Amino acid sequence: MVIDMCPLSMVEDAAFKAMISTFHPNYELPSRTFFTKQMEKKYEGVKAKMKQALQEAESITLTTDIWTSIATEAYMGVTCHYLGKNWKMVSHCLTTMPLEERHTAANIAQWIEEVITKFDIPAEKIKAVVHDNGANVVAASKILQERFRKLRFLPADEVFKVQNAVRAMALAAKQQVRQPTASNHGTSSTEAPAAYAEEATPFFDSDTTTSDEDQDAEKQLNAVEQEVSK
């Protein structure tokens, strides 16, 4: 039912009951109420684990976005991101909520605050909220900044600028670490840089960086080098 997005009421359909009876005549099919309670119980269990994980996280960043489905139904999603064990990025979708009211700045601010409260996220642990440049979302961020003084609200394009800068620095480090060095005997040797590169490259060569992004980063790096050499 979950995989095919079927409603729980399916277990009460005559055809479904007949199919189950054919497979197992003596099986007593649980009611829709039973499955509803099981799902609610599972949800509360996952929610409790999520709260615990967020309490243990040192710092948290939220991303939020509002979009409209093909059926012209509006939704708002809020996702949290933090560093887990071994410095691995962990991301969880906290909510994908249908929006039945107007998307005013006050409503959006309230919805985001409700998510923060729902998962007991300490405000001091939220370092930033990344959002799009929609006028209502930008206005909502200003409302929340008044309530959460230390919270930073970053438009997505500013985050991408930082991301590109990090990629440029990563590329510079990769180029530097791969350069051959002269040994005491006047011959080129790449053994030492290669040893460092072997450790550093897996971090820089992330699967999330495409060749196009590397080219963009290289262009930015070249521009920086030209500016410095002036």
Side-chain angles (χ1 to χ4, degrees):
M1 288 190 295
V2 175
I3 295 177
D4 294 331
M5 298 293 289
C6 295
L8 295 178
S9 59
M10 185 178 71
V11 299
E12 298 177 349
D13 293 343
F16 185 79
K17 288 182 177 180
M19 181 185 68
I20 298 298
S21 179
T22 301
F23 294 154
H24 197 316
N26 297 325
Y27 179 71
E28 185 177 350
L29 188 65
S31 65
R32 174 173 55 178
T33 303
F34 170 82
F35 286 109
T36 300
K37 291 181 179 179
Q38 289 297 107
M39 291 183 66
E40 291 175 348
K41 181 179 178 181
K42 182 68 175 179
Y43 171 79
E44 292 299 329
V46 173
K47 180 181 174 183
K49 291 181 180 180
M50 179 62 62
K51 285 183 177 182
Q52 183 63 32
L54 294 176
Q55 289 290 333
E56 295 174 355
E58 184 174 345
S59 60
I60 301 166
T61 297
L62 301 179
T63 55
T64 182
D65 190 24
I66 296 177
W67 72 94
T68 304
S69 69
I70 298 177
T72 66
E73 296 172 336
Y75 294 88
M76 184 183 79
V78 178
T79 305
C80 67
H81 314 270
Y82 60 91
L83 290 177
K85 296 181 180 179
N86 300 322
W87 283 72
K88 289 187 176 180
M89 178 67 72
V90 180
S91 299
H92 296 290
C93 179
L94 299 180
T95 186
T96 302
M97 57 185 297
L99 305 181
E100 299 176 353
E101 299 180 30
R102 293 181 59 201
H103 310 163
T104 63
N107 284 341
I108 294 173
Q110 180 181 345
W111 295 330
I112 295 175
E113 190 171 2
E114 286 175 355
V115 174
I116 295 173
T117 303
K118 180 179 180 180
F119 287 91
D120 296 332
I121 305 176
E124 64 274 10
K125 288 191 175 185
I126 305 176
K127 302 306 179 182
V129 178
V130 181
H131 56 83
D132 60 24
N133 283 324
N136 51 353
V137 180
V138 173
S141 69
K142 294 179 180 179
I143 295 175
L144 287 171
Q145 276 181 324
E146 295 178 359
R147 302 176 186 175
F148 304 94
R149 294 293 183 180
K150 296 183 179 180
L151 205 55
R152 295 185 63 194
F153 290 83
L154 302 174
D157 57 348
E158 291 187 12
V159 176
F160 292 141
K161 289 178 183 177
V162 174
Q163 187 180 42
N164 288 336
V166 171
R167 287 187 181 133
M169 289 188 290
L171 182 62
K174 286 168 64 177
Q175 292 177 350
Q176 183 66 29
V177 83
R178 289 170 179 168
Q179 288 179 358
T181 57
S183 66
N184 293 333
H185 300 288
T187 59
S188 296
S189 172
T190 59
E191 294 181 0
Y196 289 110
E198 186 175 354
E199 296 181 2
T201 301
F203 173 78
F204 296 132
D205 289 337
S206 171
D207 290 339
T208 59
T209 303
T210 65
S211 59
D212 290 339
E213 290 169 342
D214 272 339
Q215 291 176 5
D216 291 340
E218 190 167 5
K219 290 179 181 178
Q220 291 186 23
L221 177 60
N222 293 336
V224 172
E225 291 176 344
Q226 291 176 6
E227 188 66 26
V228 172
S229 62
K230 289 181 180 180

